[in-house]
Amino acid sequence: MLENFDSVQQFADTLKSVVLDMSNVSKAKRIEALRTITNFERCRWHPAAMTQAIQLIVGNEEDWLSALGTDEEFLTNMDAIYQVYSQHIDCDQVELEDILDMKGAAEYLGIHLDTMKKYVYRQERLRGKMVGNSMAFTRRQLDTFKRQELGG
């Protein structure tokens, strides 16, 4: 079922492409789904456990991606798959409040928004993840940046 995936990153990238192509789902729901996918990325890759999780949620479908259903069903099923998978595999979960946009990240670091943009875009000292049209950062990532780059 998951022979084409060598890593959790490949699996997550496949899910991301589906979510980003969802035009009839609100931006808020897509962002929430991308946060779930970010949690997938924090898990060890175990194809057998993922296969079991998928089979539990959508059955024994060879084309499991299509079997996840309509866009809304896909998001619900993807979250359910993550819940099942993360019960059996070590995952470093990120809570929703631990993800900040560019402005929130600048405030969290105690720097001006223009300085934040300089670090991200011009100097490329800090890398976030694109979520829709916005850049997102985790608190852990910002704490590491603050410690290593800002001496805080």
Side-chain angles (χ1 to χ4, degrees), residues 42-110:
R42 288 171 169 68
C43 298
R44 290 183 304 112
W45 182 236
H46 196 286
M50 184 60 74
T51 297
Q52 288 176 342
I54 290 170
Q55 287 174 340
L56 182 67
I57 303 304
V58 298
N60 233 355
E61 300 286 332
E62 189 59 37
D63 187 10
W64 61 272
L65 207 51
S66 296
L68 289 173
T70 66
D71 289 351
E72 292 286 337
E73 292 169 334
F74 181 96
L75 298 177
T76 301
N77 287 333
M78 184 184 65
D79 188 56
I81 289 168
Y82 172 73
Q83 296 304 322
V84 171
Y85 185 72
S86 66
Q87 289 175 1
H88 303 288
I89 301 300
D90 292 332
C91 297
D92 184 13
Q93 294 188 17
V94 174
E95 298 298 324
L96 295 181
E97 58 271 4
D98 287 337
I99 299 176
L100 303 166
D101 64 4
M102 183 77 73
K103 183 178 177 189
E107 290 172 4
Y108 183 76
L109 291 173

Side-chain angles (χ1 to χ4, degrees), residues 124-140:
E124 296 181 355
R125 291 170 57 189
L126 180 60
R127 296 188 192 280
K129 295 247 184 208
M130 286 303 293
V131 179
N133 294 329
S134 303
M135 187 71 68
F137 306 88
T138 64
R139 287 186 195 273
R140 178 182 300 169

